[in-house]
């Protein structure tokens, strides 16, 4: 990505002298994510920048960039206030297309699950919660924490729009080690930590069962394609979602519908 | 029919297309072995049903048009191609998707030719026809495809013998949005409403009027934009429409704003699909793909990603018989046939239903 990086000038906020030089973390279709610090050297932060799109009419580009940064910040703010595990917003300039957020330590949930599965090749091709119940407990626990986080999110009237295991972080628990059986401790650590939801670029405020069900369906599909061996454990996500969120039953009924028709309909315009 | 098609050096197909208001008949030639065939267009004849300004084409009238013009179009295609009937290996026709009555008319005509000349029949998915023709003409090898026409809006990429749909419209097609907007301003349908909007838009652009922008992930929606554009057109006609600068806006400004908005949406969902599949080639097919402003915007996006855009002109972008001949022949070469008793057509036929046996 070095070439692309050189092509785009960094946002102005990153050209000010800072104690931590900003580094580009990822570049998506929409924008770029940098790691830098906010106000003091000891406070790492993530900076999301949406560069102008040369193909778009300048008026439309300015309108979209501004609306998207504000709406993402608004959604994060709402979640954070309601206690949903998301990064806190530190600063933003919607017109300039950037927003600074709390830096979430840890690894993406995707990486944690894959490391857990990768370390257990002897377990065979597929993993189910029933067969190796004791063995899979840490992974099932993670599934439950994911369900709880999504339940909390939906309770606040927000749908994420792009739930995948890449858009969830596993933040190391503060205060360190809880109980843990010796020996398995290291292995279990890869799926330990608080689940924090990130990347709200496609999030919207919605209370509709349909939107919530689609949110779950997108995650279910992403989960099946990213972690086919652990597909059966997805039920644990829905179980804890149900326990966290009072309106879950009607969402889960809707989820059946969404699954039936798929996201795609047979269409003629 | 004792000839082994896989050993033949020259293979020829005649294709019949009539899923919307264009009746197209074309003849294509494939030469060389099956793994690296070269394609040559022998003829590509089209006759378009044009309805009066302010109206759209109705299925009944369109089907009548296709029936009336089929014989002379077919004769023209054969004489342009300068081949004998014996040289034709198969007859391809559009199985769908499209409008029921026009599809049926052309399917019956294709079936008649197959029986009359004793040739095998191959039913073709219209969308796959567009994609394969675009690939053959531009040489794009593994592109993300934006398929935009009056009936379809899809972002497609190939994976494991299927053209997979990554994003699509949630309601009407982008071309349908443009066509219907043209009716609101009584813009001529000759040669095509989209073409006339494009020309008119070149005179607009003093202001960009605020229209809804509806992208949801890799999908998009156009019905809300159409409603708003129609409202603005009505305001303008009543003499009360003012732009963001307080000055009255014109029909050209409306055309400009509509194009800028809907094309930005299309480019955005295409870019997202490109990032998703890790491709930097993009191929635009379908009637709306002729629009030079869309091609320009797509080019700017692709250049930004270090890639390039592939597009064709109206001969291949707009519905035509040659693409049906080409895609039909590709399928025929892998052994695919449509038995006469199964030679139906259907209004709903998704791009990803077709097994693409001719690609790895």
């Amino acid at each position: 990505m070095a070439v692309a990086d050189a092509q785009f000038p960094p946002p102005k906020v990153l050209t000010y002298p800072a104690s931590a030089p900003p580094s580009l973390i990822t570049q998506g279709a929409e924008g770029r994510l940098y790691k830098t610090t906010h106000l003091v050297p000891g406070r790492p932060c993530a900076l999301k920048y949406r560069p102008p799109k040369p193909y778009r009419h300048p008026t439309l580009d300015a309108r979209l960039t501004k609306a998207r940064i504000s709406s993402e910040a608004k959604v994060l703010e709402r979640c954070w206030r309601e206690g949903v595990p998301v990064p806190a917003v530190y600063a933003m300039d919607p017109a300039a297309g950037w927003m600074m957020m709390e830096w979430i330590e840890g690894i993406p949930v995707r990486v944690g699950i894959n490391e857990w599965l990768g370390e257990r090749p002897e377990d065979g091709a597929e993993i189910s919660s029933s067969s190796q119940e004791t063995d899979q407990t840490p992974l099932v626990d993670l599934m439950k924490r994911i369900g709880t986080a999504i339940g909390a999110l939906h309770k606040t009237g927000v749908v994420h729009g792009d739930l995948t295991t890449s858009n969830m972080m596993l933040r190391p628990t503060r205060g360190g080690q809880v109980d843990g059986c010796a020996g398995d401790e290291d292995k279990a650590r890869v799926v330990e930590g608080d689940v924090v939801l990130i990347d709200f670029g496609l999030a919207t405020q919605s209370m509709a069962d349909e939107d919530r069900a689609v949110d779950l369906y997108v995650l279910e599909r992403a989960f099946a394609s990213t972690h086919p061996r652990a597909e059966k454990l997805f039920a644990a996500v829905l179980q804890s979602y149900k326990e966290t969120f009072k309106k879950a039953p009607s969402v889960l009924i809707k989820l059946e519908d969404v699954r039936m028709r798929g996201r795609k309909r047979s269409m003629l315009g | 029919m004792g000839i082994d098609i896989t050993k033949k050096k020259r293979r020829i197909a005649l294709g019949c297309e009539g899923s919307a208001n264009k009746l197209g008949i074309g003849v294509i030639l494939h030469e060389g072995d099956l793994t690296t065939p070269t394609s040559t267009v022998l003829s590509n004849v089209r006759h378009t049903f044009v309805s009066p300004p302010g109206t759209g084409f109705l299925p009944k009238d369109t089907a009548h048009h296709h029936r009336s013009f089929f014989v002379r179009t077919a004769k023209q295609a054969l004489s342009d191609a300068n081949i004998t009937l014996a040289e034709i290996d198969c007859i391809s026709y559009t199985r769908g998707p499209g409008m029921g009555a026009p599809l049926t008319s052309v399917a019956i005509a294709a079936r008649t030719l197959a029986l009359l000349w004793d040739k095998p029949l191959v039913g073709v998915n219209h969308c796959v026809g567009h994609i394969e023709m675009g690939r053959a003409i531009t040489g794009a090898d593994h592109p993300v495809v934006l398929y935009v026409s009056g009936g379809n809006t899809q972002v497609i990429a190939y994976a494991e013998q299927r053209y997979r749909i990554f994003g699509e419209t949630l309601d009407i097609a982008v071309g349908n949005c443009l066509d219907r907007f043209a009716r609101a301003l009584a813009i001529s349908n000759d040669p095509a409403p989209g073409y006339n909007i494009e020309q008119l838009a070149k005179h607009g652009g003093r202001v960009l009027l605020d229209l809804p922008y509806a992208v949801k992930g890799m999908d998009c929606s156009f019905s809300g934009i159409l409603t708003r554009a129609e409202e603005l057109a009505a305001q303008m006609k009543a003499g009360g429409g003012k732009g963001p600068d307080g000055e009255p806006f014109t029909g050209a400004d409306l055309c400009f704003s509509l194009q800028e908005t809907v094309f930005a949406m299309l480019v955005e969902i295409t870019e997202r699909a490109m990032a998703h599949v890790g491709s930097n080639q993009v191929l635009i097919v379908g009637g709306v793909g002729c629009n030079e402003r869309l091609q320009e915007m797509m080019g700017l996006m692709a250049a930004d990603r270090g890639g390039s855009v592939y597009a064709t002109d109206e001969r291949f972008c707009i519905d035509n018989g040659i693409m049906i001949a080409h895609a039909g022949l590709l399928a025929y070469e892998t052994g695919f046939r449509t038995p006469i008793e199964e030679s139906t057509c259907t209004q709903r036929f998704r791009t990803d239903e077709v097994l693409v046996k001719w690609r790895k």
Side-chain angles (χ1 to χ4, degrees), chain B residues 16-61:
Chain B
C16 312
E17 152 64 26
S19 62
N21 67 332
K22 287 97 186 169
L23 171 69
I25 300 180
V27 180
I28 198 148
L29 165 70
H30 286 185
E31 282 177 297
D33 61 278
L34 291 186
T35 47
T36 51
T38 55
S39 310
T40 314
V41 176
L42 298 182
S43 68
N44 187 10
V45 185
R46 178 165 54 213
H47 200 280
T48 306
F49 171 58
V50 178
S51 58
T55 66
F57 51 92
L58 298 171
K60 187 182 71 175
D61 304 334

Side-chain angles (χ1 to χ4, degrees), chain B residues 21 58 67 98 128 170 192 207 220 238 263 273 290-291 309 315 323:
Chain B
N21 67 332
L58 298 171
R67 285 196 297 271
V128 172
L170 298 168
V207 286
C220 50
F263 293 167
C290 297
N291 189 297
V309 59
R315 288 172 299 165
M323 67 185 205

